[in-house]
Amino acid sequence: MQSGVRVRVGNLPHELTNFVGRRRELTEVRRLLSESHLVTLTGMGGVGKTRLALRVAANLQDDFEDGVWLVELGALPEPHLLADTVVAALGLRERAARSPLPLLIDFLADRRALIVLDNCEHLVAEVAELTKAVLSACPEVRILATSREALAAGEEAVLRVPPLTVPDPGTAASLRSLGGYEGVVMFEARARSAVPGFGLTVDNQATVVEICQRLEGLPLAIELAAARLRALSLQQILLRLTDRYRLLTTGTRVAPSRQQTLRLCIDWSHDLLGDRERTLWRRLAVFAGGFEVDAAAEVSGFADGELADVLGSLVDKSILIREEAGGVTQYRMLETIREYGLERLTEADESALLRQRHHDWCERLTLQAEAEWIGHRQLEWLARFDRTRADLRAALEFSVTAAAKQDAALHMVIAVYPYWVSRGLYSEGRYWIERALARDDGAPAASRVTALCLGSMLALMQGDVPAAQTWTDAACALTDPDDDPGAAAFAVSATGYLATFSGDFPRATERFEEALLTLRTEGSPLARVGTLVGLAMACGLSGDPRRAIACHEEVLALTAADGESMYRSYSLSMLGLAVWEEGDTPRATQLIEEGMRLTRLVDDPLGLAMCLEILGWIAADRPERAATLMGASAWVGEAAGSPTIVIRDLLGHHDRIVRESTDALGQASFDAAFARGRGLSVDAAIAYALGEQAPVGPRASAPTTKLTRRQREIAELVAQGMTNKAIAQQLVISQRTAEGHVENILTKLGFTTRAQIAGWVHGGAGQQT
């Protein structure tokens, strides 16, 4: 299975059913987005806010060169994770000293993108705060939100989404004219899906119209009713709806609200189900996101043979949506349908039982992944966790609030840790580890030591050395080598990472080597591999390349036999760099190319950028190729939220190769080659790096990479000699945001100094049209 690095393409899902009507609303939303940075679609559940937002977004993809992104918030249990969720949806990776919201703002600052925030009603205040922060700093970004109420955020434009149009009662409508009523058109389309060959006729048109009128044009209600044509006639559907409607109006002259109309339709759909279907509906409602058959079986308690039939029946009746992606079949519920199922679960007094089952299934899943992480199934587990992220969060929330087992939360955070690292979700990992430690303050020492060490490493990845020091000290205070030598050695390894990030490389080497004396025979394979990677890093930084090479080769020996990919890709690239520095260019190239292929598999854009960059250094004797590869590296890293690849901060090769290539080619040719690299797609960049094709991009005479309006403004201020602090004050932005803009300018233009930017501006190149 191959997972692609997601860069700038957006993440809108494919529409599973045809979109009906809404011409006026589509036009109005597009107009509002041209005038306002924030547009919120409001309305009751089931009225079609999400479908409208997705259709608008799909229609506008060509208008937003940096992507149209869907962020689903309906299943998000914790407002604290809002920024993390948006960052993850955009495929960004956190890096040192960059927490999610600043990372998001820096990434979007110079980009033209549309972000769709779906189902915001339970997070209105938090979403309003996030949108204000993003839009105030990102002039080319637009946000389209869906919510049952407005966000009340700044210059928000609000459009209340109406039901689909249906003929007024008492209005005589011809068969031909019914095509102008959206509700009728949708019923016909959904009915045709349920009963192939169905169509409006002179004989059935009156019944169809009355059904749509009874349902008041509500899309979800129409979908549920049309799905019933597999078992009922049009007249039977109308009769049952009419009976339900009369019950609502008995004793009052006031017609029911649309909310009541939708409720009666869902009630009616529920009552028409058999006992097994009703039971499965309410039990599957505990899933926060999509779920697969194995998960449905374990949580619902249905036997495999029975489950397939009932799942198919609920799909036929539009209670479940069946989706295929990457060869995997998943099922999910619309949020309104799920909310109804949860109500029924509570009424059946099964809520506590099913939440516990759901948690236990997630815990078993994560523990199995932990045991198999250093192995051939690692890519499967990465993809599975990507698909079940919402349910992992729900289970973690249960584990820190309601789980009966003392250390259930700690078990889960320890198991999920490698996934958080692989996806750059450092803030989210720290959040759950902190809550698990607070929940399980009486848990066994070994579990607490492990969690404290993992939290320390996540803090170090964010550059938070003081927090890492606190957590590492707490872990060491709990260790007893006689009681649990593996846990004690892991704590020693954590002190090695702390020393590395603090710049004390001799101490780091000493601590890693001490830990390995035990971890080579005790502890988990993950702890051993992680310690070897740390020792290789410390040796490389302290000027001992041969020891670093030995460590990386040991990592490769441990991981290659098991088919592991994530750690192997890193060690391959770092080993390639080390042997290149030792003068073995052919082997270095082979190692880095192999590492690059693995970064593609594990969806690691920063690792891919690093491989492209090092291959650019290796190609120093072919300056045009070096410039092209470094341009591709800059773009891939920038699109993952990291305009400065970490390795450039540790070594001086980048600046040296840029100078040498510029001297050899001349500034204009270097800039053109760098721009060609930036213009490559991810697949094209990999193919070019592997020598499989030439780059397709601007010719040597073409203009250099175009800066955004904000970047040109900042380049001009740099040319005036202003510092980042002065630029921030003048533009009323944070100093870190100003620094990020300057980094992006340097990266885009292939420069290494502010003086080069000044020369570029004064030379007239900055006057773009």
Side-chain angles (χ1 to χ4, degrees):
M1 180 184 63
Q2 184 161 340
S3 173
V5 178
R6 296 170 296 166
V7 178
R8 277 194 181 175
V9 295
N11 66 342
L12 293 184
H14 295 294
E15 288 185 326
L16 297 177
T17 55
N18 60 311
F19 187 82
V20 174
R22 301 290 195 193
R23 189 171 298 175
R24 185 190 69 81
E25 288 83 7
L26 288 169
T27 301
E28 181 64 7
V29 177
R30 186 163 192 155
R31 183 188 69 79
L32 291 173
L33 281 169
S34 71
E35 299 174 352
S36 176
H37 288 73
L38 170 63
V39 176
T40 303
L41 306 182
T42 65
M44 58 176 283
V47 80
K49 301 184 295 297
T50 298
R51 285 300 303 273
L52 175 59
L54 291 177
R55 173 47 66 101
V56 169
N59 290 346
L60 290 175
Q61 286 184 98
D62 290 342
D63 294 353
F64 291 92
E65 64 189 53
D66 295 307
V68 177
W69 304 90
L70 171 64
V71 186
E72 296 175 325
L73 301 177
L76 182 64
E78 265 294 331
H80 295 87
L81 299 176
L82 175 60
D84 301 76
T85 302
V86 180
V87 162
L90 270 63
L92 306 184
R93 301 309 201 254
E94 292 180 44
R95 61 191 191 277
R98 311 304 296 138
S99 55
L101 184 55
L103 168 63
L104 181 65
I105 290 172
D106 279 358
F107 175 74
L108 293 172
D110 296 316
R111 286 176 165 78
R112 181 168 176 78
L114 173 64
I115 300 174
V116 180
L117 301 178
D118 191 33
N119 289 316
C120 303
E121 48 272 349
H122 61 304
L123 300 168
V124 167
E126 292 80 10
V127 172
E129 185 177 346
L130 180 138
T131 58
K132 287 178 183 177
V134 170
L135 296 178
S136 64
C138 309
E140 299 299 322
V141 170
R142 297 291 187 273
I143 292 178
L144 178 60
T146 73
S147 176
R148 295 179 189 178
E149 61 177 290
L151 303 181
E155 300 299 318
E156 175 187 25
V158 179
L159 177 67
R160 186 163 186 83
V161 179
L164 300 174
T165 57
V166 297
D168 292 331
T171 300
S174 67
L175 185 61
R176 177 177 295 179
S177 68
L178 289 180
Y181 294 98
E182 299 164 336
V184 176
V185 173
M186 180 178 180
F187 184 92
E188 182 181 23
R190 300 298 183 263
R192 193 177 295 115
S193 296
V195 181
F198 178 89
L200 285 176
T201 66
V202 173
D203 294 331
N204 68 21
Q205 64 174 334
T207 307
V208 170
V209 167
E210 194 168 353
I211 289 172
C212 293
Q213 290 169 339
R214 277 278 180 262
L215 299 177
E216 300 190 70
L218 293 169
L220 177 56
I222 289 173
E223 186 136 0
L224 291 172
R228 280 294 167 183
L229 280 173
R230 290 186 175 94
L232 301 174
S233 69
L234 285 171
Q235 287 292 344
Q236 288 172 320
I237 290 172
L238 178 59
L239 178 62
R240 282 159 173 77
L241 288 175
T242 301
D243 288 344
R244 290 274 177 175
Y245 195 87
R246 285 173 181 157
L247 284 174
L248 280 179
T249 57
T250 299
T252 177
R253 295 181 182 178
V254 180
S257 67
R258 289 194 174 98
Q259 189 67 55
Q260 289 174 306
T261 296
L262 179 63
R263 177 70 183 209
L264 79 85
C265 189
I266 298 176
D267 277 335
W268 168 72
S269 295
H270 180 268
D271 291 348
L272 285 175
L273 297 174
D275 288 341
R276 295 186 309 161
E277 294 167 317
R278 288 195 291 265
T279 299
L280 190 61
W281 178 352
R282 68 175 183 262
R283 291 182 178 178
L284 294 181
V286 298
F287 285 99
F291 53 87
E292 295 163 39
V293 173
D294 62 334
E298 286 200 45
V299 174
S300 70
F302 276 57
D304 289 345
E306 180 183 31
L307 179 64
D309 291 340
V310 185
L311 283 173
S313 179
L314 291 178
V315 170
D316 289 342
K317 296 172 175 65
S318 292
I319 304 304
L320 289 178
I321 299 170
R322 185 178 187 271
E323 298 172 323
E324 296 277 350
V328 175
T329 300
Q330 272 197 305
Y331 299 86
R332 65 178 176 87
M333 294 182 189
L334 293 176
E335 196 61 27
T336 303
I337 296 294
R338 179 172 180 254
E339 289 171 359
Y340 184 90
L342 290 172
E343 288 180 26
R344 291 292 185 170
L345 193 66
T346 300
E347 291 173 8
D349 198 25
E350 292 181 338
S351 184
L353 171 65
L354 266 294
R355 289 184 70 210
Q356 184 67 57
R357 278 190 195 171
H358 176 266
H359 167 271
D360 292 347
W361 169 76
C362 284
E363 184 182 21
R364 286 193 295 273
L365 187 78
T366 58
L367 293 177
Q368 184 181 355
E370 180 188 25
E372 297 178 348
W373 194 264
I374 303 297
H376 68 280
R377 294 195 62 198
Q378 186 184 77
L379 297 177
E380 294 177 40
W381 286 118
L382 278 168
R384 185 69 185 262
F385 280 11
D386 282 339
R387 297 193 300 271
T388 60
R389 185 181 294 161
D391 283 283
L392 292 177
R393 285 174 168 171
L396 283 165
E397 181 65 26
F398 183 85
S399 74
V400 297
T401 56
K405 290 194 297 183
Q406 182 63 44
D407 53 355
L410 287 177
H411 284 166
M412 282 197 69
V413 297
I414 292 168
V416 181
Y417 167 82
Y419 173 72
W420 288 324
V421 171
S422 72
R423 294 298 182 246
L425 300 171
Y426 308 141
S427 294
E428 179 169 352
R430 289 179 66 178
Y431 171 79
W432 288 118
I433 290 174
E434 286 170 355
R435 292 190 67 188
L437 288 166
R439 165 74 168 87
D440 295 329
D441 55 0
S447 296
R448 291 188 63 79
V449 167
T450 302
L452 286 164
C453 292
L454 297 177
S456 170
M457 284 185 267
L458 289 172
L460 289 172
M461 291 173 197
Q462 291 187 302
D464 190 351
V465 175
Q469 180 77 62
T470 300
W471 284 21
T472 304
D473 290 346
C476 291
L478 287 174
T479 58
D480 182 346
D482 294 330
D483 182 47
D484 192 328
F490 194 49
V492 172
S493 178
T495 64
Y497 272 103
L498 181 63
T500 301
F501 279 80
S502 300
D504 189 349
F505 304 130
R507 175 172 169 77
T509 301
E510 174 189 318
R511 301 302 279 168
F512 283 130
E513 288 177 339
E514 178 185 341
L516 282 171
L517 291 174
T518 301
L519 291 175
R520 281 197 170 94
T521 56
E522 303 278 351
S524 69
L526 189 60
R528 183 161 64 256
V529 169
T531 301
L532 282 166
V533 168
L535 179 57
M537 184 189 304
C539 291
L541 293 170
S542 62
D544 188 356
R546 294 188 182 279
R547 182 77 172 104
I549 288 171
C551 290
H552 284 305
E553 287 179 335
E554 187 173 351
V555 170
L556 295 178
L558 287 170
T559 56
D562 294 321
E564 192 272 346
S565 300
M566 192 175 87
Y567 287 96
R568 190 154 49 104
S569 68
Y570 174 79
S571 278
L572 281 166
S573 59
M574 290 298 94
L575 178 59
L577 174 61
V579 300
W580 172 66
E581 291 176 322
E582 292 288 291
D584 191 346
T585 299
R587 187 186 178 208
T589 302
Q590 178 185 0
L591 289 166
I592 295 167
E593 288 178 350
E594 184 180 349
M596 183 169 61
R597 293 185 180 95
L598 289 179
T599 64
R600 185 74 161 131
L601 288 177
V602 300
D603 185 16
D604 178 10
L606 296 185
L608 173 58
M610 185 181 297
C611 290
L612 291 168
E613 177 77 12
I614 299 172
L615 286 173
W617 302 345
I618 291 175
D621 58 338
R622 290 176 289 169
E624 185 173 348
R625 177 174 172 80
T628 302
L629 286 168
M630 287 191 288
S633 168
W635 180 78
V636 171
E638 180 185 327
S642 183
T644 301
I645 304 305
V646 173
I647 194 170
R648 294 186 196 154
D649 298 332
L650 304 179
L651 302 165
H653 298 305
H654 174 80
D655 293 352
R656 177 174 60 82
I657 302 300
V658 167
R659 287 194 303 271
E660 291 176 358
S661 299
T662 303
D663 290 343
L665 296 171
Q667 188 67 58
S669 295
F670 176 88
D671 290 346
F674 193 89
R676 277 197 297 275
R678 286 186 60 85
L680 296 174
S681 68
V682 172
D683 289 335
I686 292 173
Y688 176 66
L690 296 176
E692 296 171 355
Q693 70 178 51
V696 178
R699 295 183 301 276
S701 59
T704 57
T705 302
K706 187 174 181 179
L707 300 184
T708 66
R709 178 177 57 81
R710 172 66 89 173
Q711 287 173 339
R712 293 199 304 273
E713 181 181 17
I714 290 176
E716 289 168 0
L717 296 177
V718 169
Q720 295 173 24
M722 295 179 66
T723 64
N724 290 336
K725 183 177 181 180
I727 292 171
Q729 291 173 342
Q730 175 153 332
L731 299 180
V732 195
I733 58 177
S734 72
Q735 183 172 338
R736 184 61 191 92
T737 298
E739 291 169 357
H741 285 306
V742 174
E743 287 177 356
N744 282 327
I745 293 167
L746 289 168
T747 298
K748 271 192 175 184
L749 300 179
F751 295 161
T752 57
T753 68
R754 299 167 78 90
Q756 288 175 298
I757 296 176
W760 182 79
V761 171
H762 293 316
Q767 303 302 313
Q768 301 172 350
T769 58

